[in-house]
C-alpha cells in the first residue's frame, strides 16, 4: 500500500497492519483464517475513512500478514523497527498497529520498552473476523485512530485499545478468549501516579534485538521436576521465566535445580512468575521453593507482569546488557558481583520492571 500524503495542519495517523482476526475471513467449514488479507485490509480502511472526522488523515503500511500466534522474537524486532521508522517522519502524529490478540501483550511491551517518543502509539485488534456480521474490528480501529490523533494521549506510551477499553501496555494480558473486552491490566491497587517516577515507564537505553536472545517460559505445576527447565538450558536459553504457583513459589525439585544452576551457571537469569492471573508475584515465602529462598539464589520476581511480558522484558534487558558488555553475551565472570550481562540484568531489573 502507498502512504497517503501527509498534512502539516491535520493529524496524520499511520496504521501498521500485521494481519490477525481484524482482517481474517471464515472458510465454509467455519475456520477463521488470518493472512492473505489485502482485500479485507482495503475494505477496513475504506470503512474507517468513511466515518473518520475529515481533519484526521490516515495511511497504511503492511508490516506483517499472519495469525499472531505465529509471531515471536523476530516479529517483535520487525515491529519495533517499523514503528520507529514511521515515527522518524515528523509529519506523523501517531501510530496504530493492528494485531492479532493471541500475542498482542508481548508485542505491546516490546514496543513500549522502546517508545520514548511523546506521540501516541495504539495497538488494537478484534475478537471476531472481518466477515462476521457483528465484527468488532471496525469499532476498535476507529477508537484506536481517534486515540492516536488526540494530543491528550501523548506521553502515555503504547496503549492497548479493544472493546472500548484503553490500557497501558505494561501489565496487560489477554484475559478472555472470546469476550470483546479481551484484555485486562494487572496492576497494584494504588494509582500509577503514586509510584516513584523512575518506576512508572522507563524505556531502554538502547535497541534490543529479541531474535538474538533466547528466553524460555517453563510451566512448573505442583509436583513438577526439572526436566523441562534443564532442556531449555541445554538448548541455549540465556534466561528462564518459571511459572510457579501462588506468589511465585516453585516445586521442590525445580527449586533444587535452580539452586544448582545459581552455582554452576551465574550467566543464566531466572525469573519466578505465577499461574495466578491477578496480583503481585513477590519474594514472600521461605522454605524450599519459596520466593524468599529463591531470591537468595538471585531469582527475580515478575511482580505484576505475567510470564509472556516477563519473557519479553528479560530478553530485552539481556540483549541491551550484551551490547553494553560487548558482543557474545556474559563476559564470563558472572555472578551478582561481576560486570557480565547477567549481573547487569539483575541490577537493572528493579528499574525496568513494572512496580518492582
Amino acid at each position: 500500500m502507498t502512504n497517503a500524503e501527509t498534512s502539516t495542519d491535520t493529524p496524520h495517523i499511520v496504521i501498521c497492519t500485521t494481519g490477525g482476526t481484524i482482517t481474517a475471513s471464515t472458510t465454509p467449514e467455519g475456520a477463521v483464517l488470518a493472512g492473505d488479507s489485502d482485500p479485507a485490509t482495503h475494505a477496513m480502511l475504506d470503512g474507517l475513512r468513511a466515518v473518520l472526522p475529515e481533519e484526521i488523515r490516515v495511511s497504511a503500511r503492511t508490516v506483517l500478514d499472519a495469525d499472531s500466534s505465529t509471531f515471536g522474537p523476530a516479529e517483535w524486532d520487525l515491529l519495533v523497527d517499523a514503528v520507529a521508522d514511521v515515527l522518524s517522519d515528523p509529519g506523523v502524529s501517531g501510530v496504530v498497529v493492528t494485531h492479532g490478540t493471541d500475542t498482542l501483550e508481548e508485542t505491546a511491551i516490546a514496543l513500549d520498552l522502546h517508545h520514548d517518543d511523546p506521540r501516541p502509539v495504539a495497538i488494537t485488534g478484534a475478537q471476531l473476523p472481518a466477515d462476521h456480521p457483528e465484527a468488532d474490528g471496525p469499532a476498535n480501529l476507529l477508537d484506536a485512530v481517534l486515540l492516536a490523533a488526540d494530543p491528550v494521549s501523548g506521553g502515555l506510551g503504547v496503549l492497548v485499545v479493544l472493546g472500548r477499553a484503553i490500557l497501558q501496555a505494561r501489565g496487560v494480558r489477554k484475559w478472555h478468549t472470546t469476550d470483546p473486552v479481551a484484555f485486562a491490566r494487572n496492576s497494584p491497587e494504588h494509582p500509577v501516579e503514586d509510584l516513584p517516577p523512575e518506576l512508572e515507564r522507563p524505556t531502554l537505553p538502547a535497541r534490543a534485538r529479541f531474535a538474538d536472545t533466547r528466553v524460555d517460559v517453563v510451566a512448573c505445576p505442583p509436583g513438577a521436576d526439572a526436566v523441562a527447565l534443564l532442556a531449555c538450558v541445554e538448548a541455549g536459553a540465556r534466561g528462564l521465566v518459571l511459572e510457579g504457583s501462588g506468589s511465585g513459589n516453585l516445586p521442590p525439585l525445580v527449586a533444587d535445580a535452580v539452586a544448582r544452576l545459581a552455582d554452576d551457571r551465574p550467566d543464566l537469569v531466572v525469573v519466578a512468575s505465577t499461574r495466578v492471573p491477578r496480583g503481585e508475584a513477590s519474594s514472600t515465602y521461605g522454605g524450599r521453593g519459596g520466593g524468599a529462598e529463591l531470591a537468595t539464589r538471585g531469582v527475580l520476581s515478575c511482580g505484576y507482569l505475567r510470564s509472556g511480558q516477563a519473557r519479553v522484558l528479560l530478553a530485552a534487558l539481556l540483549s541491551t546488557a550484551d551490547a553494553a558488555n560487548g558482543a557474545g553475551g556474559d563476559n564470563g565472570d558472572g555472578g551478582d558481583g561481576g560486570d557480565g550481562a547477567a549481573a547487569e540484568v539483575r541490577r537493572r531489573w528493579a528499574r525496568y520492571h513494572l512496580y518492582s
Side-chain angles (χ1 to χ4, degrees):
M1 295 180 199
T2 303
N3 281 1
E5 220 176 280
T6 63
S7 171
T8 57
D9 54 2
T10 62
H12 174 216
I13 306 303
V14 177
I15 302 170
C16 294
T17 65
T18 71
T21 301
I22 194 169
T23 53
S25 57
T26 310
T27 68
E29 295 75 28
V32 175
L33 292 179
D36 192 25
S37 58
D38 233 21
T41 301
H42 281 291
M44 175 181 71
L45 294 172
D46 288 343
L48 173 67
R49 292 187 176 103
V51 296
L52 266 181
E54 290 184 4
E55 65 271 16
I56 299 176
R57 299 179 65 104
V58 293
S59 58
R61 174 185 296 196
T62 301
V63 180
L64 293 161
D65 189 10
D67 189 315
S68 76
S69 63
T70 66
F71 293 178
E75 286 73 26
W76 305 337
D77 282 331
L78 184 62
L79 280 161
V80 170
D81 286 341
V83 170
D85 185 58
V86 169
L87 290 174
S88 68
D89 180 355
V92 171
S93 307
V95 179
V96 170
V97 178
T98 60
H99 197 287
T101 58
D102 280 5
T103 60
L104 186 149
E105 63 201 70
E106 284 89 356
T107 295
I109 192 171
L111 291 172
D112 196 56
L113 286 167
H114 292 89
H115 185 52
D116 57 1
D117 190 298
R119 288 171 290 180
V121 172
I123 182 167
T124 191
Q127 291 282 66
L128 296 170
D131 58 359
H132 193 281
E134 299 177 0
D136 54 334
N140 288 337
L141 181 60
L142 175 62
D143 286 344
V145 170
L146 292 174
L147 184 75
D150 189 339
V152 173
S153 306
L156 297 177
V158 175
L159 300 171
V160 175
V161 183
L162 225 93
R164 307 313 300 268
I166 301 170
L167 304 166
Q168 287 183 292
R170 299 188 202 192
V172 79
R173 68 194 306 248
K174 188 171 182 179
W175 78 279
H176 202 288
T177 58
T178 58
D179 194 281
V181 186
F183 291 86
R185 186 165 181 260
N186 190 27
S187 60
E189 293 179 2
H190 51 81
V192 173
E193 54 265 25
D194 289 346
L195 295 170
E198 67 272 14
L199 290 182
E200 286 182 12
R201 202 188 63 84
T203 55
L204 297 169
R207 173 67 165 86
R209 291 294 166 187
F210 295 103
D212 299 334
T213 310
R214 178 168 183 153
V215 173
D216 289 324
V217 176
V218 182
C220 301
D225 58 26
V227 171
L229 178 159
L230 295 176
C232 291
V233 175
E234 183 67 23
R238 299 281 314 287
L240 296 172
V241 178
L242 305 182
E243 192 172 82
S245 58
S247 58
N249 305 312
L250 300 176
L253 294 178
V254 175
D256 292 347
V258 170
R260 292 192 296 272
L261 287 169
D263 294 330
D264 299 340
R265 290 290 308 275
D267 59 308
L268 184 74
V269 183
V270 179
V271 174
S273 180
T274 176
R275 64 182 183 176
V276 181
R278 303 300 291 270
E280 183 179 13
S282 58
S283 305
T284 301
Y285 287 88
R288 188 180 172 200
E293 173 63 23
L294 294 171
T296 68
R297 302 288 187 174
V299 176
L300 305 169
S301 289
C302 72
Y304 286 91
L305 298 182
R306 287 302 178 261
S307 55
Q309 289 200 334
R311 176 193 178 205
V312 176
L313 175 58
L314 182 52
L317 293 179
L318 281 165
S319 174
T320 53
D322 279 348
N325 283 275
D330 197 281
N331 64 9
D333 54 4
D336 287 336
D339 296 325
E344 181 67 16
V345 170
R346 293 187 187 101
R347 286 192 292 267
R348 294 166 60 193
W349 182 259
R351 167 162 170 73
Y352 285 91
H353 170 253
L354 182 70
Y355 312 129
S356 289

